[in-house]
Amino acid sequence: MTTAQLHGNGVDASGARPGWAINVDGLTKLYGRGCHHCLETTGPARDRNVCPHCQTTVACAGVSFELRPGHTLGIVGESGSGKTTVLRCLYGDMAPTAGTARLRDFQNGATDIFEADGQERRRIRNFLLGMVYQHPRQGLNMQISAGGNVAERLLATEWRKVAAIRERAGSLLGRMEVPLMRMDDIPAHFSGGMQQRVQVAKALANGPSVVLLDEMTSGLDVSVQAGVLDLMQELQRDEGIAMVVVSHDLGVVRLLCERTLVMKNGRVVEGGVTDQILEDPHHPYTQLLVSSVN
């Protein structure tokens, strides 16, 4: 990798530790064989994300952002806008078609995590990134205990002593306000809100520097939502975790996120300080989003 390449992606050529926690540049994901018409014939201006020439779906294209430790970025947009695809590419659930992503805590941000080998990718998922899915069943094994779910993530790394694992799991679940008397119960018997809190505890088990949150309050009662959001704010403040929050709920984004990207048809149409975007949106689609909740 050349010095110019490092500079071009926000990495200090001296090898110094960068100020950001995560740097994403040009993230693109296509479903299909693709052709040279795909990007020019899709997007907000065309009001579609399926290429009329080869029927490839452009799930997201050209998504770029930087996020500092202890800060939160919101990504909003309608269903199918590409926001969840961004998270799933970053976490390694799917491979991107193009673009780069760098983590400060992976080789000082000098190496694209998408180019990491299998062993390095497992380390990134187990140590450096946490993921909270919209549906807890995607992030939890519903047939093993709440404590067992947290232990499963710990066992994927260097944790081996049963007593230490149980202590760590109990500490995290307690912080998530999951009653310790229910630590050995299976999540299938929990409410949706408690399942989400177990999923957060699991995501945080190995102290990740970046946590990805996909519609984590969707379908939860308002009182449960408030509790989960308070916990996330506390964790961000205490642990300095960087968070990327995907949500259709602008109230959640306003509460948690300093900066926000707005996506439509796989593209970012507007980005900036959250309050500015929500109070004075410039793009017609952002104006429509904001007006729909006022």
Side-chain angles (χ1 to χ4, degrees):
M1 181 174 293
T2 67
T3 298
Q5 285 174 313
L6 291 176
H7 267 309
N9 289 281
V11 181
D12 189 331
S14 69
R17 191 171 170 84
W20 39 259
I22 184 170
N23 173 287
V24 177
D25 186 23
L27 177 58
T28 300
K29 176 62 179 179
L30 308 183
Y31 292 103
R33 61 183 176 87
C35 71
H36 64 277
H37 297 291
C38 285
L39 298 185
E40 66 186 38
T41 58
T42 60
R46 306 283 186 172
D47 196 28
R48 63 176 175 238
N49 63 355
V50 177
C51 175
H53 297 275
C54 67
Q55 304 307 306
T56 292
T57 297
V58 181
C60 65
V63 177
S64 302
F65 61 86
E66 278 187 7
L67 183 59
R68 297 177 68 85
H71 289 255
T72 303
L73 174 75
I75 306 179
V76 302
E78 63 195 356
S79 178
S81 62
K83 54 191 190 296
T84 292
T85 298
V86 171
L87 295 195
R88 297 196 68 184
C89 285
L90 292 176
Y91 194 56
D93 287 340
M94 59 180 66
T97 304
T100 64
R102 291 173 165 79
L103 296 172
R104 183 183 68 167
D105 291 339
F106 179 65
Q107 299 183 5
N108 272 355
T111 302
D112 178 11
I113 63 173
F114 298 144
E115 296 297 323
D117 63 29
Q119 183 177 359
E120 290 172 329
R121 283 297 298 171
R122 285 190 293 274
R123 178 177 177 273
I124 290 166
R125 282 176 67 103
N126 289 330
F127 280 103
L128 305 182
L129 292 175
M131 179 76 172
V132 178
Y133 295 91
Q134 176 178 358
H135 303 294
R137 290 181 180 276
Q138 291 178 275
L140 296 175
N141 184 331
M142 291 295 183
Q143 299 307 316
I144 65 173
S145 70
N149 270 277
V150 179
E152 191 174 56
R153 187 162 172 87
L154 294 171
L155 286 166
T157 58
E158 79 279 9
W159 292 72
R160 291 295 178 265
K161 294 183 178 180
V162 174
I165 290 173
R166 190 166 179 83
E167 180 180 357
R168 174 67 172 163
S171 173
L172 284 166
L173 290 169
R175 191 166 189 185
M176 292 301 108
E177 299 182 0
V178 176
L180 293 185
M181 67 180 64
R182 303 204 63 185
M183 179 175 169
D184 295 320
D185 291 352
I186 62 173
H189 295 163
F190 291 172
S191 66
M194 194 178 294
Q195 288 175 354
Q196 283 292 48
R197 292 197 291 273
V198 173
Q199 197 185 180
V200 172
K202 181 177 182 178
L204 296 173
N206 287 315
S209 54
V210 179
V211 175
L212 311 171
L213 305 161
D214 186 11
E215 299 280 11
M216 68 171 180
T217 60
S218 178
L220 301 183
D221 293 340
V222 173
S223 60
V224 175
Q225 281 189 29
V228 171
L229 293 175
D230 285 345
L231 284 168
M232 298 314 296
Q233 286 183 305
E234 178 186 336
L235 286 165
Q236 182 188 40
R237 182 175 60 250
D238 294 348
E239 308 290 341
I241 297 169
M243 299 183 184
V244 183
V245 176
V246 159
S247 182
H248 69 281
D249 188 331
L250 298 186
V252 169
V253 171
R254 186 190 291 272
L255 180 66
L256 288 181
C257 307
E258 294 92 355
R259 300 184 67 82
T260 296
L261 302 179
V262 181
M263 293 188 68
K264 178 174 172 57
N265 298 122
R267 310 303 207 280
V268 174
V269 296
E270 189 164 357
V273 176
T274 299
D275 286 344
Q276 181 178 333
I277 283 179
L278 297 184
E279 295 296 333
D280 184 26
H282 292 171
H283 193 277
Y285 176 66
T286 311
Q287 294 170 356
L288 179 63
L289 275 183
V290 172
S291 66
S292 70
V293 296
N294 290 337

